[in-house]
Amino acid sequence: GKPFKGVLYAGLMITEEGVRVLEFNVRFGDPEAQAILRRMNSDLFELCMEAVEGGLPKELDWSGKTSICVVLASKGYPGSFEKGKEITGVREAEGIDDVVVFHAGTALSGSKLLTAGGRVLNVTALGSDIVQARQNAYRAIEKIHFEGMHFRRDIGLKALRHI
């Protein structure tokens, strides 16, 4: 008797036996949403309001560009991680065309940006194809620094094998 209106995120894994469900969440997936929503030209607010009012649009407007998102994490993540390390270079990274840096575990102390979580920043980049999107993301990451920063260097490589 309680209809659900909102976002349902399905965490899936593709295995040799097929697709497996890992989890369901009543929220956007993080960092998956950052990559997907960067490609959406439709107005997210209008889409959410339509869902609340009981409808959904017949079509969404999507960019033809490819998107990639790389998480920058603190030393120790996913276990016990360090906090309070100064972050530099975010503005410079966002100066690259088609790059947006989403804050996940950051805090301001005066004018300094500091690490405050395990997953610190999500660097999201668009490109005409996976090669350009990867280049944009990793070029942006080169500009960002904080002590103990680590990230995966293989994001998008499986997609490159299919080209």
Side-chain angles (χ1 to χ4, degrees), residues 109-132:
S109 178
S111 63
K112 290 184 179 183
L113 183 63
L114 305 175
T115 63
R119 286 191 272 175
V120 178
L121 299 166
N122 296 332
V123 178
T124 306
L126 298 174
S128 59
D129 56 25
I130 189 67
V131 173
Q132 185 183 37

Side-chain angles (χ1 to χ4, degrees), residues 73-75 82 84-88 115 145-150:
S74 289
K75 182 178 179 182
E82 298 180 344
K85 306 299 181 183
E86 185 173 3
I87 305 166
T88 61
T115 63
H145 301 282
F146 58 87
E147 185 182 328
M149 180 176 97
H150 67 97

